[in-house]
Structure formats: structure tokens, C-alpha cells
Amino acid sequence: MDLAGLAVLVEAAQAGSLAGAARRLGISPLMATRRLAALEEAMGARLMQRTTRSLALTPEGEAMLPFAQAMLENEAAARASVRPSSAGASGLLRLTASAAFGRKVVVPVVADFLTDNPQVSVDLLLTDTVVDIVGQGIDLAIRIAHLKDSALIARRLADNPRGLYATPGYLAARGTPAAVADLAEHECLCLSGTTHWSFAGDGRERRVRVRGRFTANSIEGLRDICLAGLGIAVLSEWDVRDEVARGALVALRLSDGALEPLAVWGVHPSARFVPPKVRLFMDALAKALR
């Protein structure tokens, strides 16, 4: 079987169109169509049902897809096995990260990574929504969270310390909370849909109901309103290090609890073969976070 045709099948299934597959593979839509047709002829079966508006796998295509993915992974693994480690990474690396972390941390690492690996190109998706990395053809997702069980593979890259922050002006006007229960009397800036904050202390978890006049679906929004002196926010240390250093924000310490820690994870689709571009980028990001 022609691996080029298999690549079209896999990318078209993920992108939902032959045009999308062609863009991902760096070929023309006509070439993608021809390669898929040649694969179908070689298999003696129609693998995709194509109309002017949609594209979907046939039952034969559904059965073929996992084998196509495995064969492409094996080919990539074979190439990587004979590629000297000193040669660095190559190919297109598709990344996704949250907007704030991506702009502040990931983008500078990408800049250095591109400089150190001239045969790599990067496509970075910054979004605060959880991306289906398999469905969208993402090689690596950078996530800050408690990870749930899934078929994806995760590597812990670094701790992600968080804290409560407010401006000196807010604390002068409203007072400084000393204990977890005191937060109920304050303007708490929360992510949309959040009703409680969880703290660890004395060997147990404590949850306190929080409320405020502002919520947002973005950490950047919470950070900016916090800097405006309108409340207390849960923020990561990497996000406010400069503001704390110059006195624009104050880190709060509660006597009976601390925020549950999170970690920075690199999440990718397969454990059987981690492409050098993915492994080397995770190494670079982990080093930067240290």
C-alpha cells in the first residue's frame, strides 16, 4: 500500500475534508483526491463517501483507519530510529495551549525551538477550551489541570503553583482575609460556572463557596480585573510574577488552607511512538519551566 494514500485517508478523516487533508500534508487538493482514489483502487473498496458538501468514512474506511494510523506511526518510528539525535527535530509540529500560558510561556519557547531546529515548522492553537487533539490532528497539548483518565498519554512537565492575589488598594478598602472562611465576605473573581474554591489543610480538603460581581471564561480576564482592584483571584505564579515583584499585586496567605496544586502536562495521542519533534519540544518546555 502507498503510504502517501494512507496519509490522505488519516488526515481527511481528522480534518473532515480532502481540502483540509491537503493543507495539512502540504499538497494540492487535486493531488489528495488522486492519492485517495489510488488507495481505494488498490484496496478494491470505497473508503470515503464524498459529496460537494461533506466527507465521511464508509464502513470499509472505518475498518481501515486504525491500520492506516498504525502503519504511518511505524513508518515515522522507523525513520526516527535511524535519524541521529544531533539532527534535531523536523516536520510540522501542531501545538495547543491555553491563551494566557501560551502567550506568556509557550510562545517564547517556540521561538527558541524554531531557532534550534531549522527543519521544524509550528502551528500553535491558543484557546481556553479543551481541544479534541485526535480529531483536530494536534501533536501536543499543553494543559494545566487535574487530568482525567483517557486514551491519551500525558507527561508531567512541571509543578504549577497557584495562589490568591489582590491589589494593595483592594485589601486596604476591604481588609485582608486571614482564613478560608473569610473569603465568603470578599469579591472573588471566578471562572464562569465556578461556585467553590478548594483548599487543602490539616490533612483534609475544604471547599468554600465564593461569589463576586465578575466572572469570565478566561484567566486573562480575571487577571486584568484583579489588577484593576476589583477583587481576589486565583492565579498561577508564572502569570503574576512581575506584578508581585513591583507591588501591583499581593499574594495572600491563609492560616488554615492552601490552594490545591496543579501541574503542567504535555498530552499527546500515542504511547507507541513519540515523534522527536514532540519529545524535544516537551524537553524544551520542561527546561524553561524549571
Side-chain angles (χ1 to χ4, degrees):
M1 276 176 283
D2 181 13
L3 290 173
L6 295 174
V8 172
L9 176 68
V10 170
E11 294 292 350
Q14 293 176 347
S17 70
L18 280 172
R23 283 194 299 272
R24 292 181 174 188
L25 294 170
I27 60 177
S28 69
L30 179 59
M31 180 62 71
T33 301
R34 287 176 175 173
R35 288 181 179 178
L36 180 59
L39 177 63
E40 290 177 326
E41 184 177 354
M43 295 297 298
R46 192 168 185 83
L47 302 176
M48 287 195 149
Q49 191 65 42
R50 303 182 280 283
T51 70
T52 55
R53 294 187 177 182
S54 65
L55 178 148
L57 290 169
T58 63
E60 292 80 7
E62 292 278 4
M64 180 65 192
L65 184 61
F67 294 100
Q69 292 169 326
M71 283 185 275
L72 291 170
E73 284 185 7
N74 288 336
E75 186 228 9
R79 291 181 182 276
S81 68
V82 297
R83 181 182 176 85
S85 57
S86 60
S90 63
L92 173 61
L93 175 62
R94 301 186 184 98
L95 301 171
T96 184
S98 63
F101 188 73
R103 277 190 276 269
K104 278 204 164 187
V105 180
V106 176
V107 167
V109 175
V110 166
D112 291 339
F113 192 72
L114 289 171
T115 300
D116 294 339
N117 297 272
Q119 296 185 58
V120 165
S121 55
V122 172
D123 179 24
L124 175 61
L125 171 63
L126 297 181
T127 176
D128 290 325
T129 61
V130 177
V131 174
D132 175 6
I133 67 174
V134 175
Q136 296 197 28
I138 301 294
D139 296 304
L140 178 65
I142 308 302
R143 292 178 177 166
I144 302 173
H146 294 295
L147 292 186
K148 299 178 181 179
D149 291 338
S150 75
L152 303 176
I153 308 303
R155 170 182 163 187
R156 186 186 180 102
L157 302 178
D159 292 332
N160 186 76
R162 301 182 300 157
L164 298 174
Y165 295 90
T167 61
Y170 173 86
L171 297 175
R174 297 289 301 269
T176 301
V180 169
D182 296 341
L183 293 172
E185 306 302 321
H186 282 267
E187 286 286 332
C188 296
L189 310 174
C190 303
L191 289 170
S192 301
T194 298
T195 58
H196 291 77
W197 285 344
S198 296
F199 296 83
D202 298 327
R204 62 189 179 95
E205 179 188 23
R206 299 189 58 185
R207 298 178 77 243
V208 59
R209 186 172 182 84
V210 291
R211 61 181 182 272
R213 292 185 297 137
F214 179 81
T215 60
N217 70 339
S218 164
I219 290 294
E220 288 182 309
L222 299 181
R223 176 181 174 276
D224 290 347
I225 293 297
C226 183
L227 281 167
L230 297 173
I232 297 172
V234 175
L235 299 169
S236 296
E237 286 185 7
W238 54 261
D239 199 16
V240 293
R241 188 173 292 117
D242 294 341
E243 289 76 11
V244 171
R246 68 170 185 262
L249 287 177
V250 175
L252 307 180
R253 301 286 184 265
L254 304 179
S255 62
D256 57 348
L259 287 163
E260 291 183 311
L262 297 178
V264 181
W265 297 87
V267 182
H268 52 94
S270 175
R272 288 195 304 166
F273 169 63
V274 182
K277 60 186 178 183
V278 172
R279 175 175 48 80
L280 291 174
F281 186 83
M282 286 194 291
D283 290 346
L285 181 57
K287 181 179 179 181
L289 291 169
R290 285 196 297 270

